């Protein structure tokens, strides 16, 4: 069992109900983003490990499907309760491994357990239909599990995403192979331990490793027909290609965002400055797919919002993520840190106006690790890199608009279409904006919240499919249509 403050930790992965090393003995090192020390090691799964995990999942699946939805729900509720009991331990691991601040991450463990409970509660909703297609026959549909599902998740909320990744597929009667992120893989071992103790062997297999070979081997495995991926657009496209090369597969994708927050002139500038910051999720360094990283301000309120926002951003307290007073921690990994820095450099080169940040914060405690100040650019224009590409970091881009058409064009001017946040007190303006903005998830006079039961997912390059609602559960089933000929004859 992992113990608090006992670092570096050495963890195993879950295959066929046992916590094991990789068959090659290879390991990955997870680095503490706050000081670049070694936090722990996890096995690096090979294609042979993937084969073993999928074989175990295939063996376990028929019995898991047979026990029925209510029994499967009971297992998942037990898992949720066990996770809640270990909440403090998971939280510390997650905060150290991701760099996300403890105050905000405290919700993640609870949400991981809540997601399991939510899908457990939907267990009896796996309904088919009876269809009056003729008067003499009985026509009906059944929902059947795919078999073994492959799920691959990103680094920003590892335990929450891993818990989510197993929930709907398991309730639908599938068994699962999950790949946690290589940058923040440590909490996966704890979830593995709980799954080993509570679930029948093979129902959940958790394979740590890099995208290549581990993730790719999962996607290409011939026994995995249903794949769900959460991560970046380039990886999502690579996964679609690998899936197509290796079979006929159902792939759903939850990908990146470059999300607009559109503020209309009837809004109070103080309120927009406040929500403009909140929507950026600086407490996890802007590393959130739904962050409203493009602030689109009407010219009447632009200057006052910018002035107030700059005052507030200067007060954001950057500090160690385990310190409850910290409001922003370090970025997650060296590679990501360097990429975010290169985007800031492009912003400067292309003529956007750097208004705050852009540097490593001053102070001895920030000399090592992936620290960056919260960063704000104004005078950003469509066509600039800052306007087009997802940064997935603490960099807010501010735009000025004059006409409503201009605002909608700006909002839709990227390849992304994940979330959008619209601020106005005029209902007709709000409804026009809701219609015109091409995003899969829209808040009116709000930002960032997720609500169980409401479908989340992206339009355009931000994804395929919707999660977090009944539709997600049903997406892990295939429809079988049955005709009882002459049943009513
Ligand atoms: P990423 O695409 O680099 O990696 C995500 C996962 O895919 C990791 O586990 C990685 O190991 C794996 N992977 C990489 N290459 C692979 C391959 N060829 N085959 C199979 N698996 C492979 O993303 P990231 O940097 O970890 O996460 C950030 C991205 O995730 C951002 O774009 C963000 O917007 C997105 N994201 C989206 C959502 C959503 O719900 N839409 C939620 C969170 C994050």
């Amino acid at each position: 069992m992992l113990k608090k403050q006992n670092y570096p930790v050495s963890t195993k992965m879950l295959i066929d109900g046992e916590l094991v090393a990789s068959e090659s003995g290879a390991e990955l090192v997870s680095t503490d983003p706050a000081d670049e020390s070694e936090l722990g090691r996890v096995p690096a799964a090979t294609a042979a490990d993937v084969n073993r995990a999928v074989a175990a999942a295939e063996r376990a699946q028929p019995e898991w499907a047979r026990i029925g939805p209510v029994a499967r729900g009971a297992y998942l509720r037990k898992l949720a309760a066990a996770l809640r009991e270990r909440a403090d331990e998971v939280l510390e691991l997650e905060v150290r491994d991701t760099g996300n601040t403890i105050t905000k991450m405290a919700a993640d463990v609870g949400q991981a357990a809540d997601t399991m409970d939510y899908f457990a509660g939907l267990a009896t909703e796996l309904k088919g239909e009876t269809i009056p297609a003729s008067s003499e026959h009985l026509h009906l549909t059944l929902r059947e599990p795919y078999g073994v599902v492959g799920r691959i998740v990103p680094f920003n909320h590892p335990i929450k995403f891993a818990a989510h990744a197993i929930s709907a597929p398991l309730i639908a009667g599938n068994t699962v192979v999950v790949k946690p992120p290589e940058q923040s893989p440590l909490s996966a071992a704890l979830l593995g331990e709980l799954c080993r103790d509570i679930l029948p062997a093979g129902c959940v297999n958790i394979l740590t490793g890099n995208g290549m070979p581990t993730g790719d081997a999962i996607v290409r495995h011939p026994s995995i027909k249903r794949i769900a991926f959460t991560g970046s657009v380039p990886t999502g496209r690579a996964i679609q290609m690998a899936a197509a090369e290796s079979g006929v597969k159902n792939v759903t994708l939850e990908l990146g965002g470059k999300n607009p927050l559109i503020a209309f002139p009837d809004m109070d500038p103080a309120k927009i400055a406040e929500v403009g910051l909140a929507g950026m999720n600086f407490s996890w360094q802007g590393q959130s797919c739904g962050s409203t990283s493009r602030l689109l301000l009407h010219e009447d309120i632009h200057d006052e919002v910018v002035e107030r926002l700059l005052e507030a951003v200067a007060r954001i307290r950057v500090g160690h993520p385990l310190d409850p007073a910290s409001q922003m921690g370090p970025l997650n990994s060296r590679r990501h840190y360097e990429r975010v820095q290169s985007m800031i450099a492009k912003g400067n080169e292309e003529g956007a106006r750097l208004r705050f940040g852009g540097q490593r914060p001053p102070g001895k405690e920030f000399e090592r690790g992936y620290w960056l100040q919260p960063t704000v650019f104004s005078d950003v224009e469509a066509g600039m890199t800052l306007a087009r590409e997802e940064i997935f970091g603490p960099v807010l881009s501010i735009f000025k608009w004059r006409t409503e058409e201009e605002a909608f064009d700006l909002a839709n001017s990227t390849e992304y279409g994940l979330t959008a946040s619209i601020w106005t007190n005029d209902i007709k303006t709000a409804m026009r904006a809701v219609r015109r903005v091409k995003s899969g998830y829209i808040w009116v006079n709000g930002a960032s919240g997720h609500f169980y039961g409401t479908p989340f997912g992206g339009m355009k390059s931000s994804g395929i499919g919707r999660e977090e609602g009944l539709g997600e559960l049903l997406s892990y089933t295939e429809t079988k249509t049955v005709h009882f000929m002459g049943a009513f004859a």
Side-chain angles (χ1 to χ4, degrees):
M1 189 196 291
L2 302 171
K3 293 270 187 312
K4 275 174 101 173
Q5 268 109 35
N6 197 7
Y7 298 95
V9 295
S10 177
T11 70
K12 299 265 186 342
M13 55 190 182
L14 181 68
I15 299 181
D16 202 9
E18 285 181 36
L19 292 171
V20 297
S22 161
E23 55 85 45
S24 70
E27 290 185 319
L28 296 177
V29 172
S30 181
T31 304
D32 187 334
D35 61 9
E36 299 175 64
S37 63
E38 181 179 325
L39 261 186
R41 284 169 186 257
V42 300
T46 62
D49 292 317
V50 172
N51 288 342
R52 271 198 308 141
V54 177
E58 275 190 296
R59 278 195 303 276
Q61 196 270 330
E63 178 59 12
W64 181 249
R66 194 200 59 77
I67 63 171
V70 177
R72 294 196 293 269
Y75 272 113
L76 215 63
R77 286 188 203 281
K78 213 169 155 191
L79 201 58
L83 187 59
R84 285 192 184 95
E85 274 176 26
R86 306 270 297 264
D88 288 352
E89 197 183 337
V90 186
L91 178 61
E92 178 178 326
L93 264 183
E94 284 281 270
V95 169
R96 285 189 185 276
D97 212 8
T98 58
N100 297 345
T101 56
I102 191 160
T103 315
K104 288 290 181 175
M105 281 304 269
D108 270 36
V109 187
Q111 284 169 3
D114 290 351
T115 301
M116 292 176 180
D117 281 340
Y118 169 72
F119 282 106
L122 288 182
T124 52
E125 294 303 314
L126 293 157
K127 295 168 186 165
E129 294 174 299
T130 55
I131 303 155
S134 68
S135 56
E136 68 270 36
H137 314 304
L138 171 62
H139 311 272
L140 56 88
T141 61
L142 303 173
R143 290 193 173 272
E144 298 202 344
Y146 278 90
V148 183
V149 168
R151 287 197 84 162
I152 297 171
V153 296
F155 71 77
N156 51 335
H157 298 282
I159 191 78
K160 189 160 95 172
F161 287 147
H164 189 143
I166 63 176
S167 296
L170 280 180
I171 291 296
N174 303 278
T175 52
V176 196
V177 176
V178 187
K179 195 195 89 58
E182 61 272 32
Q183 305 92 330
S184 309
L186 299 180
S187 59
L190 201 140
L191 183 65
E193 200 180 305
L194 298 179
C195 290
R196 177 199 61 185
D197 294 346
I198 292 169
L199 299 177
C203 286
V204 169
N205 302 270
I206 303 178
L207 299 177
T208 43
N210 283 311
M212 292 282 180
T214 317
D216 186 62
I218 293 171
V219 172
R220 290 179 189 271
H221 197 289
S223 297
I224 296 187
K225 186 177 169 181
R226 173 81 176 91
I227 297 149
F229 169 73
T230 305
S232 64
V233 170
T235 310
R237 293 177 63 169
I239 284 176
Q240 270 190 312
M241 275 196 276
E245 279 167 11
S246 56
V248 175
K249 304 195 175 192
N250 180 333
V251 181
T252 50
L253 302 170
E254 287 282 348
L255 306 179
K258 186 80 191 173
N259 312 301
L261 185 156
I262 311 177
F264 285 84
D266 62 328
M267 290 308 298
D268 174 10
K271 181 71 188 167
I272 297 302
E274 179 195 321
V275 298
L277 276 197
M280 266 303 294
N281 299 308
F282 281 115
S283 42
W284 36 75
Q285 300 75 251
Q287 296 165 160
S288 177
C289 58
S291 294
T292 44
S293 55
R294 291 186 298 145
L295 187 53
L296 277 46
L297 303 175
H298 186 266
E299 60 179 352
D300 289 355
I301 57 170
H302 175 276
D303 294 353
E304 190 179 342
V305 172
V306 172
E307 191 184 320
R308 286 173 179 273
L309 191 141
L310 290 174
E311 279 166 23
V313 88
R315 288 196 298 272
I316 290 180
R317 187 167 162 180
V318 181
H320 195 282
L322 279 173
D323 178 351
S326 297
Q327 293 168 312
M328 186 176 142
L331 288 161
N332 181 264
S333 67
R334 171 160 294 283
R335 197 174 51 138
H336 185 50
Y337 181 59
E338 287 169 358
R339 183 175 175 276
V340 173
Q341 283 177 317
S342 79
M343 303 293 266
I344 292 172
K346 276 195 186 138
N348 285 322
E349 279 159 30
E350 292 173 7
R353 195 168 155 211
L354 180 65
R355 304 297 294 270
F356 191 86
Q359 306 285 332
R360 188 180 276 273
K364 195 135 190 66
E365 68 273 37
F366 303 123
E367 279 174 7
R368 289 182 67 77
Y370 314 129
W371 298 96
L372 195 63
Q373 294 168 314
T375 299
V376 179
F377 281 94
S378 70
D379 302 67
V380 183
E381 293 187 9
M384 290 180 181
T385 306
L386 286 181
R388 283 182 291 110
E389 289 188 29
E390 184 188 39
I391 302 176
F392 206 60
V395 183
L396 175 64
S397 301
I398 303 179
F399 304 68
K400 191 194 284 188
W401 55 272
R402 283 149 210 88
T403 66
E404 206 175 274
E405 278 308 303
E406 219 183 307
F408 297 152
D409 286 349
L410 264 177
N412 292 330
S413 66
T414 75
E415 68 165 312
Y416 299 96
L418 190 57
T419 72
S421 168
I422 291 155
W423 289 82
T424 176
N425 287 318
D426 183 78
I427 183 79
K428 288 194 169 167
T429 305
M431 294 316 288
R432 276 198 304 279
V434 164
R435 278 273 186 231
R436 291 288 301 279
V437 175
K438 225 162 157 46
S439 297
Y441 202 83
I442 297 185
W443 299 280
V444 177
N445 298 341
S448 291
H450 285 232
F451 301 88
Y452 287 108
T454 64
F456 184 87
M459 294 180 167
K460 296 154 75 182
S461 293
S462 289
I464 298 173
R466 296 292 179 268
E467 296 189 347
E468 303 178 19
L470 177 63
E472 177 180 352
L473 177 65
L474 302 182
S475 81
Y476 290 100
T477 65
E478 294 189 285
T479 298
K480 185 179 271 176
T481 303
V482 183
H483 305 280
F484 278 91
M485 306 307 289
F488 298 114

